Amino acid sequence: MEILRSGGVIALPTETVYGLAANAEDELAVRRVFAIKGRPATHPLIVHLPQAEALPRWARDIPPEAWKLAAAFWPGPLTLVLRRTSRATDAVTGGQDTVALRVPNHPLALAVLSALGGGLAAPSANRFGRVSPTTAGHVREDLGSDVDLILDGGPCTVGVESTIVDLSSGDPAILRPGGLAAEELEHVLGRPVPVRATSSVRVSGSLASHYAPRAGVTLVEVPEAAARAQALRGQGLRVGVLGPASLALPPGVPRFDMPEDPAGAAHDLYLRLREADLAGLDLLLACLPSARGLGLAVRDRLARAAAPRTSGT
Ligand code: TXA
Ligand code: MG
């Protein structure tokens, strides 16, 4: 707590992925988060709150639908984008007139938030553009001594980042599919909530090349995976397949198992991408799961991992 009050940056567990947290009202500390991540200052951060009651301190013109979603899903893997109050500074919002807010569902994160009594600006605790960490060990590997403290709260239960819903103007829209299924949002709101490809708001997760492991990633359908792997191996490439355990592969082609239920796939996704990296592959063939439930988030992250890389990292 002293660390946060005096401008420090800590890694802390949430139910989705580990976050790199600083006191959201301390501009210098927030700037350190950007520096450690290597993230452009124009990409806004999520402010984490201890409970929904804190919402009006950070957001104004809060529509009834925001309260409805907060009541149904907080604490939980849902981030709401709302019009900001002056408490949400340009450093946090990237100069936008909106702020992203969520109450994480992890006892350690909630304990820290309650003790601080304020908001924690926290992006995922990985270097910009890399795979998000779902264990304290991942954070240590990626950020090591750059952070003042790493709180170990065990492996994240959800495994992919929160679902981001824009409620700042007009009809609700999903800006990033994530750990809360679109079906659940729609059920509570009683209407469809479309996924909106963002242009006016900057969502770093919407950059083409994001969530990328070091190996190249190519998307495939399950039935073609084995033959594609065999052909690529024939060309001398070290190739692996991310797919269901029931998939038979040619000798010498490692399989990185993905559960067939969507929540299980979301939970394991980043772990498997890290394992594929450690295996030193040239190419990972990734089988796309169904878009049902958290499958939408898994497909989204795999598509980004497979997108052309803009840099060597
Ligand atoms: O599950 C999560 O959301 C994790 C954990 C740590 O809470 N956090 C996370 O943070 O994924 P980050 O920074 O990696 O992604 C936050 C996303 C970014 O894509 C950012 O652009 C978007 O939230 N965002 C933040 N403020 C926004 C705003 N005002 N409007 C639109 N998007 C916003
Ligand atoms: Mg991230």
Side-chain angles (χ1 to χ4, degrees):
M1 199 48 51
E2 267 324 295
I3 299 178
L4 289 171
R5 290 218 177 91
S6 58
V9 174
I10 69 169
L12 98 178
T14 81
E15 79 281 32
T16 57
V17 300
Y18 274 71
L20 185 62
N23 179 356
E25 293 177 68
D26 182 335
E27 218 167 302
L28 279 179
V30 170
R31 293 201 190 286
R32 250 191 91 206
V33 170
F34 281 93
I36 293 170
K37 262 193 85 93
R39 174 167 171 150
T42 50
H43 289 276
L45 306 182
I46 294 172
V47 176
H48 297 68
L49 304 174
Q51 74 264 318
E53 288 69 36
L55 213 45
R57 303 179 67 194
W58 296 86
R60 62 197 160 89
D61 307 333
I62 302 169
E65 290 189 308
W67 287 115
K68 225 171 170 175
L69 292 178
F73 300 117
W74 281 353
L78 169 70
T79 295
L80 299 179
V81 172
L82 296 162
R83 295 172 56 122
R84 69 169 167 176
T85 64
S86 58
R87 194 179 295 275
T89 59
D90 285 349
V92 167
T93 69
Q96 300 182 81
D97 194 35
T98 56
V99 60
L101 299 159
R102 94 174 184 100
V103 179
N105 188 16
H106 192 290
L108 208 46
L110 289 172
V112 171
L113 282 163
S114 306
L116 182 72
L120 283 175
S124 50
N126 52 285
R127 306 264 184 222
F128 187 62
R130 312 259 357 135
V131 174
S132 297
T134 54
T135 69
H138 296 165
V139 179
R140 216 167 286 124
E141 284 162 24
D142 209 11
L143 302 180
S145 54
D146 287 357
V147 290
D148 299 319
L149 176 71
I150 299 175
L151 289 178
D152 189 346
C156 301
T157 52
V158 174
V160 292
E161 298 85 347
S162 60
T163 299
I164 301 180
V165 176
D166 183 13
L167 285 165
S168 64
S169 62
D171 291 334
I174 294 174
L175 301 183
R176 176 180 73 182
L180 180 69
E183 293 91 328
E184 291 203 56
L185 287 170
E186 294 177 340
H187 179 74
V188 165
L189 294 181
R191 59 158 151 171
V193 185
V195 178
R196 190 200 300 150
T198 54
S199 51
S200 59
V201 277
R202 287 178 293 260
V203 181
S204 68
S206 69
L207 292 177
S209 171
H210 211 69
Y211 309 106
R214 287 183 181 81
V217 177
T218 298
L219 306 180
V220 293
E221 299 295 338
V222 175
E224 57 171 350
R228 291 277 297 273
Q230 175 108 28
L232 289 161
R233 200 169 134 76
Q235 295 167 22
L237 287 176
R238 286 167 303 172
V239 55
V241 174
L242 182 74
S246 56
L247 179 64
L249 293 175
V253 177
R255 189 185 55 237
F256 301 88
D257 288 355
M258 284 287 272
E260 292 187 52
D261 76 288
H267 180 268
D268 288 358
L269 176 67
Y270 290 145
L271 291 171
R272 294 293 99 82
L273 290 180
R274 277 170 194 271
E275 284 169 14
D277 264 357
L278 288 176
L281 300 177
D282 298 311
L283 190 65
L284 179 69
L285 298 180
C287 298
L288 280 175
S290 99
R292 191 166 45 86
L294 300 199
L296 193 65
V298 175
R299 292 172 69 99
D300 172 81
R301 304 304 188 271
L302 285 175
R304 294 183 201 294
R309 308 282 162 86
T310 45
S311 74
T313 61

